[in-house]
Amino acid sequence: MFRVHCNKCSKRRDIEPTIPFQLTRCHHIICGTCLAAYAAEKKCPMCGHQLQTINISRDMPISVANYFQDPTKFLQLYRKISKFQSEQRAFDNLNFLRREERYNDLHLKLDGYTKMEAQLNQQTKVEKKRIAELREYIAFHERPGVDSLNGSLSSSEYIAGGGRSRSRPRTPSDRTTSETTLSDDLLESFCLDSGVDFETKKSKHNPMSTSMHRSSSHSHNQDFQM
């Protein structure tokens, strides 16, 4: 803390407490005696700027009183403020990284769902085509006069049709649409994204592997008993 004194005549406030001291807007301290001498000019005795002053007392605004406080107090406050703001920035960065990781996980899952949807749509398209073929096949064979054994029209039906024979529809395939089911790679990626045990899903998806596993286990038990 410094000694409050007049910047013009060097009078000290602690030695002459009865003399008022003023703080100018340009940050100079002027005693009442020097201020009265320059009051007519309305200019600061030190720098010549327009004279605007405030009385130095306990009733000063806090923004002005801070100029007369120990600067170490503000240094400690600055350290606390700096530490607080640094911690808040660290928390904000950590939360941002967590949100980014969550976004990446959701993006991967969305890609898996999108691929699965495309494959299911393709499977639906194939199944609809097979249903249409089956309906056409059934409708053809349900017509009166159609030989159920060879699918040909009788003579009376042929004559009734004006001699025009309707071509027999292709016999629909009884194959399962295994080529349109979910692939193992897509199923595995989907299971990994959704947290499902892939080995369990894969065994359900491929019953042949399950039956082979049971057969090998049964033969192993017979060998053991023998």
Side-chain angles (χ1 to χ4, degrees):
M1 182 63 182
F2 63 94
R3 296 180 297 186
V4 179
H5 64 284
C6 178
N7 298 157
K8 184 66 177 178
C9 64
S10 299
K11 287 187 178 70
R12 290 171 51 183
R13 187 184 182 194
D14 56 346
I15 296 177
E16 301 183 47
T18 57
I19 299 177
F21 285 76
Q22 304 283 331
L23 177 65
T24 65
R25 187 178 181 86
C26 49
H27 296 169
H28 294 113
I29 298 177
I30 307 297
C31 67
T33 305
C34 295
L35 189 63
Y38 287 87
E41 299 180 8
K42 295 183 179 181
K43 291 184 179 180
C44 176
M46 297 300 299
C47 62
H49 283 81
Q50 184 178 2
L51 189 61
Q52 294 180 353
T53 63
I54 186 172
N55 186 38
I56 300 175
S57 65
R58 295 182 180 274
D59 299 330
M60 289 186 299
I62 186 65
S63 58
V64 179
N66 287 336
Y67 285 97
F68 299 90
Q69 299 292 332
D70 186 359
T72 57
K73 172 184 176 182
F74 298 101
L75 179 61
Q76 295 174 357
L77 179 61
Y78 166 78
R79 289 175 178 173
K80 292 180 179 179
I81 295 174
S82 178
K83 180 181 178 182
F84 170 76
Q85 295 186 2
S86 178
E87 291 175 349
Q88 293 302 312
R89 284 192 295 268
F91 290 146
D92 185 39
N93 293 336
L94 181 60
N95 291 331
F96 175 78
L97 291 177
R98 289 175 178 173
R99 291 194 300 270
E100 187 176 15
E101 291 176 356
R102 177 62 177 167
Y103 169 79
N104 291 334
D105 293 341
L106 293 176
H107 188 68
L108 290 176
K109 289 184 178 181
L110 180 61
D111 289 342
Y113 285 128
T114 303
K115 293 178 182 178
M116 184 174 64
E117 181 187 15
Q119 198 158 7
L120 288 175
N121 289 336
Q122 180 64 23
Q123 181 180 354
T124 302
K125 182 179 179 181
V126 173
E127 292 296 333
K128 286 182 177 180
K129 182 178 179 181
R130 290 186 69 250
I131 292 173
E133 292 176 354
L134 286 171
R135 287 178 176 174
E136 182 181 1
Y137 182 81
I138 293 172
F140 177 81
H141 285 275
E142 285 182 348
R143 292 180 58 189
V146 177
D147 189 353
S148 60
L149 294 178
N150 56 21
S152 60
L153 293 175
S154 63
S155 58
S156 59
E157 181 69 16
Y158 179 80
I159 296 173
R164 294 186 302 273
S165 176
R166 180 183 176 185
S167 61
R168 176 185 175 183
R170 183 176 61 87
T171 303
S173 174
D174 58 352
R175 292 186 302 109
T176 59
T177 55
S178 58
E179 68 275 4
T180 60
T181 56
L182 294 177
S183 62
D184 288 343
D185 294 338
L186 182 58
L187 182 63
E188 181 176 6
S189 64
F190 174 71
C191 292
L192 290 176
D193 291 340
S194 58
V196 180
D197 185 6
F198 173 67
E199 293 300 329
T200 304
K201 295 289 287 185
K202 192 173 182 180
S203 62
K204 292 181 180 179
H205 180 65
N206 190 0
M208 183 62 70
S209 61
T210 305
S211 61
M212 292 178 63
H213 177 70
R214 290 178 179 175
S215 177
S216 61
S217 300
H218 181 67
S219 62
H220 178 74
N221 292 333
Q222 289 181 349
D223 296 340
F224 180 75
Q225 290 176 359
M226 293 178 62

